[in-house]
Amino acid sequence: MAEGDKEKLRVRLHVYDTDMMVTIPREEEECYRAGAKLITDVINSYASVYKGSKSDRDILYMALIDISLRYEKERRKHDVVPVMDILTKLTTEIEEALDD
């Protein structure tokens, strides 16, 4: 077995109504399983409300938008660019004040 293959793991993920075989990095198995569960839970949530009045495709898209919105909100919470910009400006002002 090649060295890279030892770091990979073949697992079956259950996502909503589908079982998928995927090859993943061994250290990320927990994340993949949590992701599959999140997808399943969100789809089930939308399906419980809209099944029969919306197509399966629409329900999947609604779940996809929901999950991507959660991701985007979380990503913005951890955006350090504005903080770094402020720190750079403050550093510059402090250095200029010390030079005077």
Side-chain angles (χ1 to χ4, degrees), residues 6-96:
K6 291 179 184 176
E7 297 171 7
K8 298 289 184 177
L9 184 64
R10 188 150 170 83
V11 297
R12 180 185 320 249
L13 295 177
H14 181 75
V15 181
Y16 185 53
D17 62 355
T18 303
D19 286 328
M20 303 172 61
M21 290 300 295
V22 294
T23 303
I24 60 172
R26 184 175 299 278
E27 67 275 2
E28 294 181 2
E29 179 183 5
E30 185 179 338
C31 292
Y32 274 85
R33 293 197 184 279
K37 182 178 181 339
L38 172 64
I39 292 167
T40 300
D41 291 348
V42 173
I43 293 171
N44 281 334
S45 176
Y46 280 100
S48 71
V49 175
Y50 295 105
K51 194 77 166 172
S53 63
K54 298 275 187 192
S55 70
D56 286 346
R57 182 177 174 186
D58 286 345
I59 291 170
L60 292 175
Y61 282 139
M62 291 164 67
L64 183 61
I65 290 169
D66 184 307
I67 293 168
S68 66
L69 180 62
R70 293 178 194 192
Y71 168 81
E72 190 61 28
K73 285 180 177 180
E74 191 64 27
R75 186 185 69 79
R76 288 183 183 188
K77 277 195 236 177
H78 300 288
D79 186 7
V80 296
V81 172
V83 174
M84 293 305 294
D85 288 344
I86 291 170
L87 288 175
T88 301
K89 288 177 187 175
L90 287 172
T91 302
T92 302
E93 288 178 18
I94 290 169
E95 288 173 347
E96 287 173 357

